[in-house]
Amino acid sequence: MAAPVQVHIRVPGTAPMPELMRLIQSIEAGGFDGAGILDSQLLSRDTFVTLGQAARHTARLNLFPAVTNPFTRHPSVLASAIATVEELAPGRVKCVIGTGYTSASTIGRKAARLDEMRECIATVKTLLAGESARFGDSAARLGYASGRRIPVLMAASGPKAIELAGEIADGPLLLVGANRGIVARALEHLARGAQRAGRRIDDLEVIWAVGTATLPTTAEALREARPTAVHWGILRWGGYWLEPAGLRLPPLTVPDAVWKVYPDLSHAHDWEAAIAATSFVPDEVVAQLCEAMGLIGTPADCAARITELTALGVRSLYLMPLLTFAPPAGEIAGFRDVVFPRLTAAGLRATS
């Protein structure tokens, strides 16, 4: 029997707290393994408050910020916050730290540099281990470190970031898409970084972030995914990952309407406006980008894609439903009712 695949899902904290708790409970009841709480201080409720409440409203769900960063909270505050949450849910909490995308852009600053990531992750790990960390001329420790292991992962999308994650973190959250070429290239970079620290990929917790939409038809899902596909493949990370994905895009001129979407194309409050702004990209290009980006289609399509990914060695997925300002009700239902039963029948999910 193949090793089971773990499936986590993003929770945007853009709804009132009581609604968020009901949503998180439905995620646990739906059979998911974990929930990552969006951390973007002007878009969503406070991540660590939400994580603390989620810890009290669930019994087995793994919980983590997805993803926090080194600048809206000092590393000492990050260590304190995640250690506090872990007291409420021992053994089922991890910390995922990234460079901070919308956390930075909405307050007019740049995302964290890789040297800042290195320092932050090292400090958080040191404090969680109960050891003293240096802060300038001072040294201090976390007075209530539990001694229990709290994994510290690094979200990474570029080659240098992936190598850094392999070198210093307990594992990466890979924001790169997922198809055969992408998986192979990402693992090359990860292995290179792990080797610098005398480690192997098998020593790391590797989670693959995948854009996700489950709708009644593939055509509906592809239309819904337009803003995220264009954002990923044309405006942001895709520049490096298109080649290993086997994609060559035609010449495209990005219209001004794209830059006017708030806060950005893939986190748009007005999703229909974001879809309209991407009309400059042909349907066939969107379809190719969606294939490289993740799980876009019917629930049955998604189950088939996950089966393909597990054959490439993928064992942990982080679903990123498209909408930031609406709950992922369709994805929860699609995975609960179709995807998980099919994966279980294929021996890729543990029977409960």
Side-chain angles (χ1 to χ4, degrees), residues 64-70 95-101 111-114 117-118 121 152-166 168-176 190 205 207-209 236-237 318 320:
F64 50 96
V67 298
T68 193
N69 64 76
C95 190
V96 186
I97 304 172
T99 59
Y101 179 44
R113 303 185 309 271
L114 291 185
M117 293 295 298
R118 178 186 289 274
I121 289 173
V152 179
L153 278 65
M154 177 177 163
S157 58
K160 292 181 180 178
I162 294 172
E163 291 181 18
L164 181 62
I168 67 169
D170 292 316
L173 175 66
L174 294 168
L175 300 156
V176 298
L190 189 60
E205 179 178 358
I207 304 176
W208 299 83
R236 286 279 290 169
W237 306 309
Y318 174 57
M320 298 179 67

Side-chain angles (χ1 to χ4, degrees), residues 103-172:
S103 294
S105 65
T106 54
I107 58 174
R109 67 151 286 166
K110 293 182 178 179
R113 303 185 309 271
L114 291 185
D115 62 317
E116 294 173 311
M117 293 295 298
R118 178 186 289 274
E119 182 178 358
C120 175
I121 289 173
T123 299
V124 171
K125 291 181 68 174
T126 296
L127 292 171
L128 291 177
E131 301 169 2
S132 291
R134 299 294 306 182
F135 301 101
D137 294 331
S138 301
R141 61 183 176 83
L142 187 64
Y144 47 91
S146 68
R148 293 185 295 272
R149 182 174 179 270
I150 302 176
V152 179
L153 278 65
M154 177 177 163
S157 58
K160 292 181 180 178
I162 294 172
E163 291 181 18
L164 181 62
E167 178 185 353
I168 67 169
D170 292 316

Side-chain angles (χ1 to χ4, degrees), residues 300-331:
D301 292 335
C302 292
R305 282 298 315 280
I306 292 172
T307 301
E308 294 170 3
L309 290 172
T310 59
L312 302 176
V314 172
R315 287 293 175 265
S316 186
L317 293 170
Y318 174 57
L319 310 184
M320 298 179 67
L322 304 175
L323 302 183
T324 301
F325 293 92
E331 286 70 35

